[in-house]
Amino acid sequence: MKKISVIALASIGFLLASCGDKKTSTTAEAGQEQQVAEKKGDAFAVDTATSVVNWKAFHKGGFAPRWGTLSIQSGELSLADGQLTSGEFIIDMNSIKVDPASVTEKDKNYADLEGHLKSEDFFDVAKNPTSDFKITQVSDLAAAPADAIAGANKTVSGNLTLKGKTLNVSFPAKVTVTDNTAAVEAKFTVNRADWGIQFGTSEADPAEWMISKDIEIGIDVKASKK
């Protein structure tokens, strides 16, 4: 009986994996940490009350998606001649929220999932209370990919630190600038395993391969001139 259960579990896992993960955003390949862009021009303070980081994760095959938000603790953008030149913001990992609407199973509770995400199994916020993103380069985007955020006009590269590990990622973004305000919006997908965020004990552990490695990250940063 136990043998049959294991085989059944493996078959289900294979089926879900073969369906593909239901990500809907550009994949940001992770590379080596790069030098942070020099601050140039005017400084714009990030509005922590209206800025937010959205996240979404899945089981294999896109089943049982979970989503929620993270708060931005502080940040600053630099602009010269009406162009974004550099910037950074710090994310409060203790602020991680799970949208109750994403947990529909009767035996599941969104508050339990919030606690699990904060644990050593995932982000270990006791040891890593913050994450951060620091821009390394901003360039014009000639043609946005189909899965980029609407209105994307720039390619933003930056060092993303999660769980104490820093890697460089690039993604299409919509950058909007006026005389006194600036905004950066983006949606991209990262592979959590690149940052050592691993639930199972190994790749062969069902706890690991039943959960997609894709995490969709949505950035909505608003800033005002200092």
Side-chain angles (χ1 to χ4, degrees):
M1 183 69 179
K2 183 176 180 181
K3 184 177 180 180
I4 294 175
S5 298
V6 171
I7 293 174
L9 181 60
S11 299
I12 292 171
F14 177 78
L15 174 63
L16 296 183
S18 66
C19 292
D21 303 332
K22 303 299 183 180
K23 66 183 182 67
T24 58
S25 60
T26 303
T27 297
E29 300 295 338
Q32 186 174 358
E33 180 179 1
Q34 303 294 319
Q35 183 175 347
V36 174
E38 180 183 355
K39 293 182 180 180
K40 296 179 180 179
D42 299 318
F44 287 64
V46 170
D47 184 346
T48 58
T50 59
S51 299
V52 67
V53 174
N54 296 287
W55 63 267
K56 190 173 186 180
F58 314 85
H59 285 79
K60 281 291 186 181
F63 292 95
R66 310 294 194 211
W67 62 85
T69 60
L70 285 156
S71 297
I72 294 179
Q73 184 172 297
S74 62
E76 181 180 281
L77 302 178
S78 295
L79 287 94
D81 299 323
Q83 300 295 319
L84 178 66
T85 58
S86 66
E88 62 182 59
F89 55 86
I90 297 174
I91 303 167
D92 178 8
M93 296 305 297
N94 279 294
S95 73
I96 192 166
K97 298 294 183 185
V98 175
D99 189 328
S102 72
V103 185
T104 58
E105 300 91 335
K106 292 182 179 180
D107 61 336
K108 303 292 183 181
N109 184 289
Y110 75 92
D112 292 338
L113 179 54
E114 287 177 0
H116 196 194
L117 291 173
K118 293 178 181 180
S119 74
E120 294 180 2
D121 285 342
F122 289 99
F123 294 102
D124 197 4
V125 300
K127 293 182 180 179
N128 305 283
T130 62
S131 296
D132 60 64
F133 181 77
K134 298 180 180 180
I135 293 175
T136 57
Q137 185 177 11
V138 181
S139 58
D140 291 332
L141 180 62
D147 51 6
I149 194 165
N153 56 359
K154 300 288 183 181
T155 296
V156 175
S157 301
N159 294 330
L160 176 62
T161 300
L162 295 171
K163 205 173 182 179
K165 183 175 181 179
T166 303
L167 294 171
N168 193 265
V169 295
S170 298
F171 49 84
K174 178 183 178 181
V175 178
T176 307
V177 177
T178 69
D179 289 342
N180 297 307
T181 65
V184 180
E185 299 173 75
K187 186 173 69 171
F188 57 94
T189 298
V190 296
N191 183 333
R192 60 178 171 80
D194 291 336
W195 282 265
I197 303 169
Q198 183 175 308
F199 179 36
T201 56
S202 69
E203 286 293 324
D205 188 338
E208 175 63 19
W209 49 255
M210 288 291 285
I211 300 175
S212 173
K213 290 182 172 60
D214 289 333
I215 301 177
E216 285 188 1
I217 297 177
I219 296 174
D220 187 356
V221 174
K222 297 177 175 64
S224 298
K225 191 174 182 179
K226 291 185 176 180

